[in-house]
Amino acid sequence: VSKRLTIYEVAREAGVSIASVSRVMHGRDGVSGETRERVERVIERSGYVVNGAARGLAQRRLGVLGFVFCDLDEAEPGADAVTSFYSHEVVRGAERAARRVGDAVLLAATHSLSERRRVLALAAKVDGLAVMAGSLSPADLERLADRVPVVSFAAGRPPGDLDSVRVENFEGARTATRHLLEHGYAEIGFIAGPSRSAEGRARFNGYRRALADAGFDAPTAPLERGDFTENGGEHAVVQMLRERERPPRALVIGNDQMAVGAIGALGARGFGVPDDVAVTGFDDVPLAGHVQPALTTVHQPLRRIGEECTRLLLHRIEHTDAVRTAVVLPTELVVRRSCGCGGGAA
Amino acid sequence: VSKRLTIYEVAREAGVSIASVSRVMHGRDGVSGETRERVERVIERSGYVVNGAARGLAQRRLGVLGFVFCDLDEAEPGADAVTSFYSHEVVRGAERAARRVGDAVLLAATHSLSERRRVLALAAKVDGLAVMAGSLSPADLERLADRVPVVSFAAGRPPGDLDSVRVENFEGARTATRHLLEHGYAEIGFIAGPSRSAEGRARFNGYRRALADAGFDAPTAPLERGDFTENGGEHAVVQMLRERERPPRALVIGNDQMAVGAIGALGARGFGVPDDVAVTGFDDVPLAGHVQPALTTVHQPLRRIGEECTRLLLHRIEHTDAVRTAVVLPTELVVRRSCGCGGGAA
DNA sequence: TTGTAAGCGTTATCAC
DNA sequence: GTGATAACGCTTACAA
């Protein structure tokens, strides 16, 4: 690393003023061909790169968008391998969209809800922040939103008065449940995620609606709860089989990861999927198509979540006073084998 | 978002100078208890957050570390789901380590090697850059390193004179091959990744070494090449079966993703794994334990790669003239079923 | 202990 | 077209 080059050096070298250098850097016109060429030559030769901090200060825009997740945490290794798929895909979508406008993406994770301080500080390093629901208390979120443009994503329902991006959790679960009903299964249970998950709640409600619409009594509480991990799904099944002789004919499970755990636990206790128990998941993680049996699940467009967050953020940054926007992305039932359907993709 | 608050407002509000505010913000001493308290009160009440750009400019340190990958790209959806696991885990490790010192992590992806411009510009927004091998041409890498501290990761061998982090690709593949040899398989083929992958080459060499050590003729070229995707593995097998009647007794495959594709293709053509063909992979992605049969593979400590990159970067930022460091992380053979071993994890 | 003032490297507004 | 020069918001000697 050689000495940090500044616009002054470049200007001197090219025999022009710093203003001209700046103009060339931005591709602005109002610069003679000769000047432009000279400056460009020096830049190319010296490898000059603007100082982002200085530019950010002058422009009041850093060209950085922040994403806050609550699952990039220090959980036990492996346990969250699938969960992490979520954030990664969202980030990819976000990065791609940000890249198009020359912005970069900053990542942050909250482990506990008590990390206010750190997240608040993040606001300093970005032009806007996309925050995953649940990674910050509503109060902190509001506070944050007062400092910097914020969009919330992965919320069960539209939060406060923030821009937001979410998927059709309700509809997705409803569709999955309906599919199970069409199989003719009369007894369908739900294994939920943690009660604090708004998305999980929305899925449960979708399930209830499908049942109600079909003329069944929809339970007011899920059969069991897990923590969205494989172990959680396993435990839920174990617990369930402690409370009742045998599993219901079908199980709608809050996410794929738990569904995988549940299928394993079910199998270990002699219950075949889908012959004894039909199962659906939610998310459509890569694993879903590979487990035995392949998992029927609800696909959500993760990359698009990231893209939309970026889009909303960029818009909000330009127009502080824009009207609040809530984007709802569609989900889609992916039929494989765990529901009892014959064919399906591998 | 209310009007951007500056240190001046805070100072005025608290009835002190901006210097005192700054001192309090940094927890420096040499501030009377009373002053500190007054400032803190104002900060708390107003939700003041320093302007990162201004701070960065003044301190010549942004508190941001950048990571450049070459796989967060626009590949066809799903195709790279497993590959992306790599970057995500590395990022997690990096984020965790950076968080400890109050830094944040910036993400960038290069799709083609032609994105010099964009990556060079990244240097403006960070204090240091960890660059995945292959995402930048050596020339650009060198150029970049002249502007900002750089560490290279995922390289097959220590690159130029940069700090670097890599895993024991050679040893890992060698161990996997040796394991296959211990099974008594005499004919062992290798399906490689793209020839430009330095890690892939190192793995191939490890395989060759194991063979040579066992007294076999090590081939100078892999049986086939794939692009590290599932499809790639599938194609490789198809191609292989076009060139030879039947597969070799065992196959060392360049990564898990291709191994999964290969197993599928093998099965579809009537060759059972591990009974007809034994298979090993590399990476130990979450999928590895779930496919049928569970994949015997070489585990690499992804999070630690990220952690070490961060560590090296931070050190290099402090000590521009520190001696070059190359970190090599161990890999570990994870024995499951695809190699022909009976037990193994699910 | 506290405040003043000089950078930090850009951008952007004006005169020229 | 081009070049001074005033912000931008913060840190940090240095002086008081």
Side-chain angles (χ1 to χ4, degrees):
Chain A
V1 179
S2 24
K3 191 183 167 308
R4 210 108 171 138
L5 211 53
T6 74
I7 198 173
Y8 287 97
E9 271 92 53
V10 175
R12 184 156 42 69
E13 198 94 355
V16 300
S17 73
I18 61 168
S20 291
V21 176
S22 179
R23 285 194 267 261
V24 172
M25 290 284 303
H26 289 283
R28 277 210 236 309
D29 42 39
V31 184
S32 74
E34 205 219 342
T35 300
R36 160 159 288 122
E37 213 164 278
R38 279 163 62 178
V39 172
E40 266 166 355
R41 222 193 315 282
V42 176
I43 290 177
E44 181 55 32
R45 174 156 45 75
S46 64
Y48 167 70
V49 175
V50 299
N51 178 318
R55 169 187 292 215
L57 180 55
Q59 293 196 148
R60 249 144 286 169
R61 177 92 164 75
L62 280 162
V64 178
L65 267 20
F67 280 75
V68 180
F69 291 89
C70 53
D71 71 342
L72 285 154
D73 63 19
E74 317 239 354
E76 60 285 28
D80 44 3
V82 178
T83 295
S84 67
F85 176 72
Y86 181 91
S87 27
H88 185 71
E89 288 296 299
V90 171
V91 168
R92 288 176 79 142
E95 200 272 342
R96 181 197 303 190
R99 191 198 310 179
R100 280 200 284 267
V101 297
D103 277 12
V105 164
L106 193 79
L107 237 58
T110 53
H111 186 200
S112 62
L113 282 178
S114 60
E115 302 201 73
R116 335 177 35 235
R117 208 67 208 186
R118 219 170 42 75
V119 177
L120 264 320
L122 266 187
K125 299 176 178 173
V126 301
D127 300 312
L129 228 32
V131 182
M132 182 169 170
S135 49
L136 226 50
S137 75
D140 287 335
L141 200 57
E142 196 178 336
R143 173 151 202 170
L144 196 62
D146 199 52
R147 291 283 128 248
V148 61
V150 168
V151 1
S152 152
F153 67 95
R157 18 202 56 223
D161 51 348
L162 296 176
D163 290 332
S164 61
V165 177
R166 62 189 204 286
V167 301
E168 286 178 332
N169 287 294
F170 180 92
E171 283 305 337
R174 186 182 178 185
T175 304
T177 309
R178 207 146 45 190
H179 180 78
L180 256 14
L181 285 164
E182 281 161 8
H183 270 280
Y185 309 135
E187 194 196 8
I188 304 179
F190 191 91
I191 294 185
S195 54
R196 68 171 197 299
S197 161
E199 297 207 88
R201 284 196 303 274
R203 291 172 196 172
F204 179 56
N205 288 332
Y207 151 85
R208 296 181 59 212
R209 169 62 136 289
L211 248 37
D213 284 351
F216 289 91
D217 274 354
T220 55
L223 233 41
E224 301 292 339
R225 286 192 182 284
D227 57 359
F228 278 155
T229 68
E230 263 180 63
N231 274 338
E234 228 177 287
H235 291 335
V237 165
V238 171
Q239 188 59 34
M240 178 180 76
L241 290 176
R242 210 169 268 155
E243 293 166 7
R244 35 145 73 223
E245 198 82 357
R246 43 175 299 115
R249 183 59 188 84
L251 239 23
V252 175
I253 302 187
N255 76 344
D256 285 355
Q257 206 169 351
M258 289 203 300
V260 170
I263 289 175
L266 247 13
R269 275 153 199 77
F271 298 104
V273 175
D275 293 341
D276 298 318
V277 191
V279 165
T280 65
F282 205 110
D283 283 349
D284 195 25
V285 298
L287 193 55
H290 288 282
V291 288
Q292 276 306 333
L295 193 61
T296 290
T297 186
V298 179
H299 179 86
Q300 45 174 331
L302 300 185
R303 302 229 187 141
R304 282 207 55 205
I305 295 177
E307 287 171 2
E308 291 297 319
C309 284
T310 297
R311 204 172 58 75
L312 257 42
L313 229 31
L314 289 171
H315 186 78
R316 173 65 57 187
I317 289 169
E318 298 299 302
H319 314 280
T320 319
D321 54 348
V323 43
R324 164 168 167 280
T325 316
V327 172
V328 181
L329 266 14
T331 52
E332 188 184 356
L333 184 67
V334 180
V335 176
R336 287 194 271 245
R337 295 207 37 257
S338 66
C339 60
C341 281
Chain B
V1 178
S2 25
K3 191 183 164 310
R4 211 112 170 131
L5 210 53
T6 74
I7 199 173
Y8 288 96
E9 271 93 54
V10 175
R12 182 156 44 69
E13 196 96 355
V16 301
S17 74
I18 61 167
S20 290
V21 175
S22 178
R23 286 194 267 262
V24 171
M25 291 282 305
H26 288 280
R28 278 211 234 307
D29 42 38
V31 183
S32 73
E34 205 217 342
T35 300
R36 161 159 287 122
E37 214 164 277
R38 280 163 60 176
V39 172
E40 267 165 355
R41 222 192 316 283
V42 176
I43 290 177
E44 181 57 31
R45 175 156 46 74
S46 63
Y48 167 69
V49 176
V50 299
N51 177 317
R55 169 187 293 212
L57 181 54
Q59 293 194 148
R60 252 143 285 178
R61 177 90 165 76
L62 280 162
V64 178
L65 268 21
F67 280 75
V68 180
F69 292 88
C70 53
D71 70 342
L72 284 154
D73 63 19
E74 318 238 355
E76 60 286 26
D80 44 3
V82 178
T83 295
S84 67
F85 177 72
Y86 181 91
S87 29
H88 186 72
E89 289 296 299
V90 171
V91 168
R92 289 174 77 142
E95 200 271 343
R96 183 197 302 190
R99 191 198 309 181
R100 281 200 283 267
V101 298
D103 277 12
V105 164
L106 193 78
L107 238 57
T110 54
H111 186 199
S112 61
L113 283 178
S114 61
E115 303 201 71
R116 337 175 34 236
R117 210 64 210 185
R118 219 170 43 75
V119 177
L120 264 321
L122 265 187
K125 299 175 178 174
V126 301
D127 300 312
L129 227 32
V131 181
M132 183 167 168
S135 49
L136 228 49
S137 75
D140 287 335
L141 199 57
E142 195 178 334
R143 172 151 204 171
L144 196 62
D146 198 52
R147 291 281 128 249
V148 60
V150 168
V151 2
S152 152
F153 67 94
R157 16 203 57 224
D161 52 348
L162 297 175
D163 291 331
S164 62
V165 177
R166 62 190 203 283
V167 301
E168 285 177 333
N169 287 294
F170 180 92
E171 283 303 338
R174 184 182 180 185
T175 304
T177 309
R178 206 146 46 191
H179 180 78
L180 256 15
L181 284 164
E182 281 162 7
H183 269 282
Y185 309 135
E187 195 196 6
I188 304 180
F190 192 91
I191 294 185
S195 54
R196 67 173 197 297
S197 161
E199 297 206 270
R201 284 197 302 274
R203 290 171 197 174
F204 179 56
N205 287 333
Y207 151 86
R208 297 181 58 213
R209 171 60 136 290
L211 249 36
D213 284 352
F216 289 90
D217 273 355
T220 56
L223 232 41
E224 300 293 340
R225 286 193 182 285
D227 58 357
F228 276 156
T229 67
E230 263 180 63
N231 274 336
E234 228 175 287
H235 291 335
V237 164
V238 171
Q239 188 59 33
M240 177 180 76
L241 290 177
R242 210 169 268 157
E243 293 167 8
R244 35 145 74 221
E245 197 85 355
R246 41 175 302 113
R249 184 59 188 86
L251 238 25
V252 175
I253 303 188
N255 76 344
D256 285 356
Q257 205 170 351
M258 289 203 299
V260 170
I263 290 175
L266 247 12
R269 276 151 199 78
F271 298 104
V273 175
D275 293 341
D276 298 317
V277 191
V279 165
T280 65
F282 205 110
D283 282 349
D284 194 25
V285 298
L287 193 55
H290 288 283
V291 288
Q292 277 307 332
L295 192 61
T296 291
T297 187
V298 179
H299 179 87
Q300 45 174 332
L302 299 185
R303 301 229 187 141
R304 280 207 57 205
I305 295 178
E307 287 171 2
E308 291 297 320
C309 284
T310 297
R311 202 172 58 75
L312 255 43
L313 229 30
L314 290 171
H315 186 76
R316 174 64 58 187
I317 289 168
E318 298 298 302
H319 314 281
T320 319
D321 55 347
V323 44
R324 164 170 167 281
T325 317
V327 172
V328 180
L329 266 15
T331 52
E332 188 185 356
L333 183 68
V334 179
V335 176
R336 287 195 269 245
R337 297 206 37 256
S338 66
C339 60
C341 280

